[in-house]
Amino acid sequence: QSALTQPASVSGSPGQSITISCIGTSSDIGSYNLVSWYQQQPGKAPKLMIYEVNKRPSGVSNRFSGSKSGNTASLTISGLQAKDEADYYCCSSAGSSIFAVFGGGTKLSVL
Amino acid sequence: EVQVLESGGGLVQPGGSLRLSCAASGFTFSNYGMSWVRQAPGKGLEWVSVISYSGHMTYYSDSVKGRFTISRDNSENTLSLQMNSLRAEDTAIYYCAKLTPPGTRAFDIWGQGTMVTVSS
């Protein structure tokens, strides 16, 4: 199972909005509404930001939103803040035996 | 506080074995599936294995299938990963992660990870 495809890096200025794409296939993102997104600060464990494409866990800011179209999922962060600077990973189910496949990660820089 | 705490990492020679443990607290452990996710130094996340809430169902990534075994003890609130025939490419931080409610396939609680280094 190949990893999902994410851009290596994205950047934005404080207050702006950015979108991170996550490209899969008809076997993973295209077949399941089970896309999740994780934020990882340097030296820290990942943190769940979005699950089931567009649902936010309790405590996650509504500046974070998710969507999906076909084989591509997206994470949008609005009102960028310096604290949003981190690595972001998408993840999708890919069938009953391939429980999860991650993207390669995207480094977000807030300039 | 809901948390999971990994232990058991260390340095092991190629071909060797290691057993990781994960102690869970703050939630009803027996109600949730659990998983292991790893991250090689400077690399991205890689799903390793998952076990159902009861322990009856287990799944593995192709990269570890036949070498790693996931298990759980619901009476002790612990998750384990037995790693055999270790290779250099298994070097990584291993995270224990709690699954969100059944059907959602997301990882909502993560430990701080335990480092496994496979080297001679």
Side-chain angles (χ1 to χ4, degrees):
Chain A
Q1 179 66 38
S2 299
L4 307 175
T5 301
Q6 298 180 234
S9 63
V10 298
S11 63
S13 300
Q16 286 187 333
S17 296
I18 63 94
T19 297
I20 299 172
S21 61
C22 174
I23 302 172
T25 69
S26 57
S27 297
D28 39 62
I29 292 177
S31 291
Y32 305 95
N33 288 325
L34 295 173
V35 177
S36 52
W37 289 89
Y38 302 86
Q39 177 193 69
Q40 187 177 34
Q41 305 280 2
K44 301 291 188 181
K47 175 186 177 182
L48 177 64
M49 305 303 285
I50 296 287
Y51 67 101
E52 288 187 328
V53 177
N54 55 17
K55 297 178 180 178
R56 277 188 309 275
S58 173
V60 172
S61 171
N62 58 10
R63 297 186 298 107
F64 292 83
S65 62
S67 63
K68 188 188 95 165
S69 178
N71 298 336
T72 300
S74 299
L75 173 71
T76 297
I77 309 173
S78 59
L80 269 181
Q81 299 179 6
K83 65 180 180 180
D84 298 331
E85 194 162 278
D87 293 328
Y88 290 85
Y89 294 90
C90 62
C91 181
S92 173
S93 172
S96 58
S97 60
I98 305 174
F99 186 85
V101 58
F102 283 94
T106 297
K107 183 176 180 61
L108 169 62
S109 298
V110 181
L111 307 173
Chain B
E1 180 187 6
V2 176
Q3 62 180 0
V4 294
L5 182 63
E6 306 92 339
S7 61
L11 175 64
V12 61
Q13 292 188 338
S17 298
L18 206 59
R19 187 177 183 86
L20 305 183
S21 294
C22 171
S25 60
F27 64 99
T28 305
F29 182 70
S30 58
N31 284 355
Y32 295 92
M34 297 292 295
S35 192
W36 290 96
V37 177
R38 69 184 180 183
Q39 186 170 34
K43 302 296 184 181
L45 301 173
E46 179 190 11
W47 170 71
V48 172
S49 182
V50 66
I51 188 167
S52 64
Y53 67 94
S54 65
H56 290 157
M57 290 189 292
T58 59
Y59 297 101
Y60 302 90
S61 66
D62 287 344
S63 60
V64 307
K65 198 173 297 181
R67 301 187 298 122
F68 290 11
T69 302
I70 190 172
S71 61
R72 65 188 297 159
D73 184 337
N74 285 345
S75 67
E76 295 289 335
N77 292 348
T78 58
L79 174 73
S80 297
L81 186 67
Q82 177 66 42
M83 304 185 296
N84 298 331
S85 302
L86 283 162
R87 308 165 179 167
E89 54 264 36
D90 295 318
T91 294
I93 297 172
Y94 284 73
Y95 293 103
C96 166
K98 168 186 168 292
L99 269 57
T100 48
T104 56
R105 294 209 178 186
F107 313 100
D108 62 350
I109 301 297
W110 297 66
Q112 285 306 299
T114 187
M115 185 69 203
V116 172
T117 303
V118 183
S119 174
S120 55

